[in-house]
């Protein structure tokens, strides 16, 4: 797969200049938005990455028990029935243990897939190198395409 530079990127390219001018002609805030993208668009990737990292961290903390079973957040309120409250606590602890076990299994599976991909990539690379080394040498007699 070949990667090419995108047509609309945060830089002074003919496409972005044309879109900016067209934006000012059609509706001036569009032109202003395009100008802002040209000037500050390269910072959007870093901003997006930082925002995604922060949200991932927040969700990981929630998944690891950051809010599961917290009494101060209303997840565990006493009902007044001691037997029911004990049963509910035991069930919540069992479910939490099952969640931890499933998270560990998922991590193990992710590691397995990562190793499987690495092995497949290594196999493809080895095949490429084998094919490349077994290729007959290029004909050096007729390099310019002239016969004679």
């Amino acid at each position: 797969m070949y990667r090419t530079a995108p047509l609309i990127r945060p830089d002074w390219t003919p496409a972005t200049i044309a879109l900016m001018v067209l934006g000012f002609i059609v509706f001036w805030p569009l032109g202003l938005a395009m100008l802002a993208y040209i000037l500050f668009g390269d910072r959007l990737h870093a901003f997006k990455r930082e925002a995604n990292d922060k949200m991932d961290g927040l969700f990981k903390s929630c998944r690891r028990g950051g809010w599961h079973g917290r009494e101060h957040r209303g997840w565990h309120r006493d009902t007044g029935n001691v037997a029911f409250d004990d049963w509910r606590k035991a069930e919540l602890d069992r479910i939490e243990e099952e969640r931890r076990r499933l998270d560990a299994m998922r991590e193990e599976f992710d590691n397995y897939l990562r190793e499987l991909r690495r092995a497949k990539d290594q196999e493809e690379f080895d095949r490429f190198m084998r094919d490349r080394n077994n290729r007959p040498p290029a004909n050096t007699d007729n390099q310019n395409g002239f016969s004679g």
Side-chain angles (χ1 to χ4, degrees):
M1 176 181 291
Y2 295 101
R3 296 199 103 179
T4 59
L7 183 63
I8 301 173
R9 59 185 184 276
D11 198 6
W12 293 100
T13 63
T16 55
I17 294 170
L19 285 173
M20 180 186 64
V21 170
L22 186 64
F24 276 117
I25 291 171
V26 173
F27 185 57
W28 69 267
L30 292 175
L32 196 60
M34 193 64 204
L35 178 63
Y37 177 71
I38 292 169
L39 295 175
F40 305 112
D42 55 341
R43 297 179 191 158
L44 289 176
H45 295 293
F47 174 76
K48 180 182 173 191
R49 185 173 40 255
E50 288 174 12
N52 284 339
D53 289 345
K54 285 182 183 180
M55 290 307 291
D56 287 345
L58 176 70
F59 287 126
K60 277 185 182 177
S61 70
C62 290
R63 223 179 339 180
R64 288 189 181 137
W67 57 270
H68 290 286
R70 300 286 181 173
E71 292 180 15
H72 67 278
R73 298 231 178 144
W75 290 101
H76 188 285
R77 287 187 223 133
D78 288 337
T79 62
N81 185 322
V82 176
F84 177 78
D85 290 341
D86 290 344
W87 172 82
R88 181 175 59 191
K89 183 180 181 323
E91 285 297 305
L92 289 173
D93 291 344
R94 183 186 62 78
I95 291 169
E96 183 66 23
E97 180 59 36
E98 182 70 14
R99 186 195 56 76
R100 280 193 291 271
R101 190 177 67 78
L102 288 172
D103 285 347
M105 286 174 61
R106 178 176 179 166
E107 183 67 30
E108 187 178 328
F109 183 68
D110 288 345
N111 290 336
Y112 172 77
L113 285 179
R114 195 173 11 261
E115 283 300 312
L116 197 62
R117 283 187 210 111
R118 190 199 59 73
K120 182 182 175 202
D121 289 348
Q122 185 66 47
E123 178 185 331
E124 289 174 354
F125 175 73
D126 291 343
R127 187 176 334 124
F128 166 76
M129 291 303 288
R130 227 182 4 260
D131 293 346
R132 183 174 176 256
N133 291 335
N134 291 336
R135 208 180 319 159
N139 187 1
T140 58
D141 295 340
N142 191 3
Q143 288 182 347
N144 295 331
F146 297 115
S147 61

